Amino acid sequence: MKKKLLIICLFALFPFITYAEDMAFFRISVSESFLGLDMKGDDGFDLSASNSLFVDVGYRTSLSSKIALTLFYEASYDGPGAKSNSKEGFQARNIDQFVMAKFDFLYSDSLKFFVRPDFFYEFYRLGKNEAWNDGLYNFGRVGLSGGFDWLFSHQLLNASLDFHYFWFPNYSDLTREALYLTVGSQGLPSDSINQNFLQGAFSLSHRIIFSPLVELKSQYRFTLRYYPSLKVDTQNLVHTDADNQFDTTHFLSLQPIFTLSKEFYIAPTYQFTYFKSNYSYFSVNSFDPFNPDFDFFEDFSSFHSHDFSLPLIYELNPKHSFILEAGIEYKKYLSRPTKKENGKFDLSTKQDLFAFNVGLTWDFKVYDNFTFSVNYLFKQASSNNKDLTAGYNFGVHVISMQMSMEY
Amino acid sequence: MLKKVTYFLCLFVFAFSSWGDIKDTAYQMAADFLANPQMFFLDLQYDSENNLPLMQDEDFELHTNLFLHLLTVANLNVKYRFYQGDNKIPSITGGVGGWYFWGLNILPQIETLKEAKDISVFGVAPFVTAHWQVSETTFLFAGTKLSIGRISMDFSKVAQEQIKDKGLKNIVEKVACIKETYVDPAIFVGIAIEKFSLEAGYQFFAQRLFARFLYTGDTWGFGLGFYPDSVIILHPMINLSYRFSL
C-alpha cells in the first residue's frame, strides 16, 4: 500500500505541471527478502523468505488547456520467497489489481480540483487447495475521491473526501455461526456475518517550506467505516439486539525535513493513530450447549498508537545513497485485556505493544532509471501479553534485495 | 568486468538460496509437480521462452537456455523483427519458442519404472512483442503470447505392480495417468535499459504473475526468473543467442 501511495504521490507532486505535455510512467520492481525470526519461547531462528513483484503503468494526458487525465494501473504480488518456512510447502500469498483515473481541473495557476474514481481487488490464497477466485479473504474496493490542491506562498494545501465500498465475496465465519447455533438461543442469519462495509474519509495535508533547508509536512485523516449487515456480538448472543459494526480512525502525521548539507538530510516522522470500534470478541473454550465456556469482551479492538521514526539520508553521489533509519512504535489497546503465560485472559491489565527497529538501506543507481537496493532491518517487539504462542514477543532480522526499472 | 561479476554473483546468491531446501522437501515438491502439472509446464515454458523484442541491428535471433539443457530439456527460440518502427509506430517482433523434456524418456530405464508408458512433455509458445525506444538507452515493450503444452505420462501399471514403497506409491497412484493439453494466453510488459531488462506478465487462465530479470550480451545472457506461485520460485538462466540478418 505504501508503494501505491508513493506512485500516486508521484503524479500528485506535480499538481501544477504544464497541461500541454503528455507524460508516461512505467515501473517494474521485484524484491526478495530473507527473514530470520526469533520468537520468544522458541528455540533458534525460524528462517523464511518472501517475494514481491510490482508492475505500475501510468499515463497523463491533457484533455484541454484546463483539464488533464491521469490513468494508472498496478498489478502486484506478495508471497513466499526462495525459501519457504512452511514444511507443507505453502504460505499465504496475494495478487492485487489497482486501477484509477484522475481528472484534474486547473482552476487557476494556484488552485486545482480533482476527481478520482478507483478500483482495487485482492486475490488472497491461504491454502494449497484454495483457488485464487475462491479465496476466503479475497476483497474488492470501488469508490471515488475528490478534492483540491492549493498552492500559496511556499505552501501546498491538499484536502480530499473519499467514499469507498469494500466487499468480501467469499468470506464466511463458521466458528461464529457454530457459536450462535450451539451456545446462543438462535442461529445467525447469513447476512449478519457479511463483512462488506462503506468507508468515508476526510484528509487534509499541508506542506510548508520555511527556507531552502527546512520544510514541514503534516497530514490529518479521519476515516469512518460502517458495516450495513455485520452485527457485533452481544453477551446474550441475540443478534437482533445487536448494533451494526462501525469503526472510526483518526490519523495524524508530522514530518519536518532538515537539509543539513547538499548530501545529507534528516526527516523525523511522528504518526498518531486513534482507532475506535464497537467490535466485541467471543473467546470460545467449549461449544458444549449444556455447559458453554466462553469469554466475552466489548470494545476489543480499539487502540491508540504512536510511531516515531528518524531516517538519516546520505547521498554519497548521484549513484549511491544510504538511509539509516531507527524507529519506535507503541500501541495500547483501550479495553483488550492481556493474557497470562497459560493463555488465559488477565482482566486486570490492558494489552500493549512496544517495538524498536533499526535499518540500513543502500540504493545503487546502476543507471538513472535502474536501481538496485539492499536493505537490512532489525526489529524487536515486546508486549505485556505473556502468552508466547500469540506471537507478540519476537526479534526479527530482514535482508531485502530489490531491483527496480522505471521510465 | 568487475561490475558484471558482481551482478552475476548477486543473481546466483538469489538463485542458490533456493537449492538448500530442495533435498529436504524433494518428495513434497514431486507431489506438488504431479498434483499440478500445469504449473510445472508453465515453469518450463517461462524458462525456455525469450519474448524480448529484437532491439539490436539484426533481424533474426536463435536463442536457447543452456541451463535447461543440463536438466535434459531441449529448447530453442526463433524470433524475427517483422517491422522496424519509427518515432510514432513501434517495432514489431514475432517468434516462437519450443521445448521438449527428453530426459523423462529415460525413466522407463529405471527398473521400478519400466512399465511407465507414453511419457511425453513438451510445449510451444508463439508470441508477438511491440517495442518503443523512449530514450537513447531505454526501450519499453509489451506483447502477448500463447502457451501451449502437452503433458502425457502413464504410471498406472507401475503403481499397481512395481512400486513397493508406500509413500511413493501413494503419490504415483494419485496421478497415475496424465494426458493433458494446456492452452493459456498471457500478456507481458517490460523495460530494457542498455543490456538489462525486466519483464513481467500475467497468465490468464492459470492466474499467475511472472517476472524475469535478464542480462543479454552479444552471445551470452544470464537471468533470473521470478515465478511467484511456483514450487521453486527463483529460476536461474544461462542463455546463448545468435543474431543475424539475411
Side-chain angles (χ1 to χ4, degrees), chain B residues 28 134 147 216:
Chain B
Q28 184 61 50
V134 292
S147 302
T216 307

Side-chain angles (χ1 to χ4, degrees), chain A residues 207-218:
Chain A
R207 179 179 176 181
I208 179 166
I209 298 171
F210 294 109
S211 77
L213 302 180
V214 182
E215 65 176 280
L216 174 68
K217 290 180 181 175
S218 51

Side-chain angles (χ1 to χ4, degrees), chain A residues 24 26 28-32 34 51-55 57 75-77 80-90 93 95-97 123 125 128 131-133 319 364 366-367 369-370 372 401-407, chain B residues 3 7 10-11 13-15 17-18 21 24-25 28 32 39 134-135 137-138 140-141 189-202 206-214 224 226-230 233-234:
Chain A
F26 181 76
I28 300 182
S29 168
V30 289
S31 70
E32 181 74 26
F34 298 91
N51 179 244
S52 70
L53 167 64
F54 285 87
V55 180
V57 183
S76 66
Y77 176 93
K83 187 178 187 315
S84 163
N85 69 353
S86 164
K87 291 293 176 202
E88 291 74 37
F90 200 89
R93 58 202 64 189
I95 293 177
D96 296 348
Q97 310 270 0
F123 297 93
R125 278 181 79 196
K128 194 178 281 189
W132 283 111
N133 284 332
K319 276 193 175 294
F364 171 39
V366 184
Y367 298 105
N369 45 2
F370 175 15
F372 179 74
M401 283 170 270
Q402 184 183 53
M403 278 182 284
S404 178
M405 287 188 180
E406 64 187 43
Y407 167 69
Chain B
K3 268 186 184 176
Y7 297 142
C10 288
L11 288 182
V13 166
F14 260 133
S17 59
S18 62
D21 256 11
D24 295 342
T25 55
Q28 184 61 50
D32 285 340
M39 187 176 287
V134 292
S135 76
T137 56
T138 306
L140 298 181
F141 60 92
V189 292
I191 182 167
I193 300 166
E194 297 280 0
K195 292 181 173 179
F196 297 96
S197 61
L198 199 50
E199 172 192 357
Y202 186 70
Q207 292 181 289
R208 287 183 70 184
L209 282 168
F210 59 91
R212 267 190 292 263
F213 173 68
L214 293 171
L224 197 59
F226 296 81
Y227 312 142
D229 213 19
S230 178
I233 286 158
L234 300 179

Side-chain angles (χ1 to χ4, degrees), chain A residues 6-20:
Chain A
L6 269 177
I7 301 302
I8 293 167
C9 289
L10 191 101
F11 288 103
L13 275 174
F14 309 102
F16 301 100
I17 201 165
T18 169
Y19 275 47

